[in-house]
Amino acid sequence: MKNKKTFNLSLLNAAQREAVEHLYGPVLILAGAGTGKTRTVISRLVNMLRQGVCSSEILAVTFTNKAAIEMRERIGQMIPKDEAKEMMVCTFHSLCVRILRSDIEKIGYKNNFTIYTASDQVGLVRKLISRHSAKDESLDHNLAISLIGRSKNKGISVSDKEGALIGEIEKAYNNELKLLNAVDFDDLLILAVKLLKEDSSIKNFWSERFKFITV
Ligand SMILES: Nc1ncnc2c1ncn2[C@@H]1O[C@H](COP(=O)(O)OP(=O)(O)O)[C@@H](O)[C@H]1O
Ligand SMILES: [Mg+2]
């Protein structure tokens, strides 16, 4: 096999090395863009493996797909693929998909649920607006989508003050998604949290699965 760039603490400055060598308990890395945070996080993950941590016990979450891809690529440059095979390096959303695919039936969906993308949402909301609005009514679909998302995240329905039409669209949107066994991006996060809160055996499963979590 081609030799991977070996793990080398001398490629790190003192602060980075301190974070990398800290294996157990929380570490917070606060630094500006381009200052070496990702290098530190990746070196820390590689160090965990070198110290005998099992790759399946490690979870590294990112906010964006781009960051997750970059992390996977850079980890791949440092260690052989099979050593990190079971390390989960993914976004918050894909972690939630994984959690929901195994147990979403406990909260009334089927496990083969569809994920509604932003453009699926636009299509559905536009259809609902034209179906529900009276001749003299109009509602911008982007505004509707953002109001629906905002109220979903707050856990309350769109306020009546926002107008009757949006309230109607919101109800119809959520009903239609449920009927289609579909979830949108907000649902991924909200439903995963709901599942973990409501079912302690699922919560225990995931909290035992990951012993080392990096964000
Ligand atoms: N201690 C270091 N010595 C030399 N180069 C470094 C060091 N730490 C990071 N780098 C390099 O600096 C660049 C930015 O690092 P990166 O970890 O991506 O930063 P951040 O995640 O904070 O934006 C990368 O090319 C990385 O390899
Ligand atoms: Mg970075």
Side-chain angles (χ1 to χ4, degrees):
M1 194 187 5
K2 226 174 68 193
N3 247 346
K4 297 277 174 179
K5 258 190 254 167
T6 44
F7 175 73
N8 189 346
L9 283 173
S10 70
L11 295 173
L12 303 168
N13 66 31
Q16 287 174 318
R17 215 172 302 147
E18 193 186 343
V20 166
E21 291 184 313
H22 182 100
L23 223 51
Y24 298 96
V27 196
L28 175 66
I29 300 167
L30 268 181
T35 53
K37 298 182 298 297
T38 302
R39 181 186 280 205
T40 307
V41 167
I42 289 168
S43 305
R44 186 159 177 265
L45 295 170
V46 173
N47 190 42
M48 284 175 190
L49 296 173
R50 280 168 27 112
Q51 303 294 323
V53 173
C54 180
S55 64
S56 65
E57 294 179 339
I58 301 175
L59 167 66
V61 225
T62 61
F63 289 97
T64 65
N65 278 319
K66 185 167 166 267
I69 291 166
E70 182 198 343
M71 289 264 288
R72 279 191 222 115
E73 267 172 17
R74 287 172 62 175
I75 292 169
Q77 288 162 9
M78 286 179 78
I79 44 171
K81 239 196 186 120
D82 53 321
E83 274 181 41
K85 208 168 52 195
E86 288 177 63
M87 188 192 294
M88 202 161 154
V89 181
C90 64
T91 61
F92 279 102
H93 285 85
S94 49
L95 172 64
C96 290
V97 172
R98 184 76 75 90
I99 293 171
L100 293 172
R101 287 271 180 235
S102 14
D103 286 300
I104 199 171
E105 86 277 359
K106 304 238 162 60
I107 48 173
Y109 289 79
K110 292 202 275 304
N111 286 7
N112 62 350
F113 61 86
T114 313
I115 299 167
Y116 250 52
T117 63
S119 65
D120 295 332
Q121 274 186 308
V122 170
L124 175 56
V125 168
R126 288 181 72 162
K127 186 181 85 181
L128 294 172
I129 289 174
S130 69
R131 187 185 294 167
H132 288 263
S133 54
K135 270 208 185 83
D136 58 344
E137 275 182 316
S138 71
L139 175 62
D140 176 64
H141 62 265
N142 288 320
L143 174 65
I145 290 168
S146 94
L147 289 172
I148 291 170
R150 208 171 66 186
S151 67
K152 217 175 238 200
N153 284 299
K154 284 195 200 146
I156 48 163
S157 325
V158 173
S159 148
D160 288 338
K161 273 180 270 160
E162 309 273 9
L165 180 57
I166 175 66
E168 231 178 282
I169 301 295
E170 179 190 37
K171 252 186 238 126
Y173 172 83
N174 288 326
N175 287 343
E176 179 112 354
L177 247 61
K178 194 74 210 294
L179 214 64
L180 294 168
N181 192 38
V183 301
D184 62 24
F185 288 150
D186 294 320
D187 289 328
L188 289 175
L189 305 179
I190 292 164
L191 296 175
V193 169
K194 180 175 155 82
L195 191 57
L196 295 172
K197 272 192 176 155
E198 287 181 6
D199 192 312
S200 59
S201 69
I202 297 172
K203 187 187 79 191
N204 292 341
F205 171 82
W206 289 102
S207 65
E208 274 160 36
R209 156 93 204 258
F210 299 121
K211 304 272 191 312
F212 298 86
I213 299 175
T214 294
V215 179

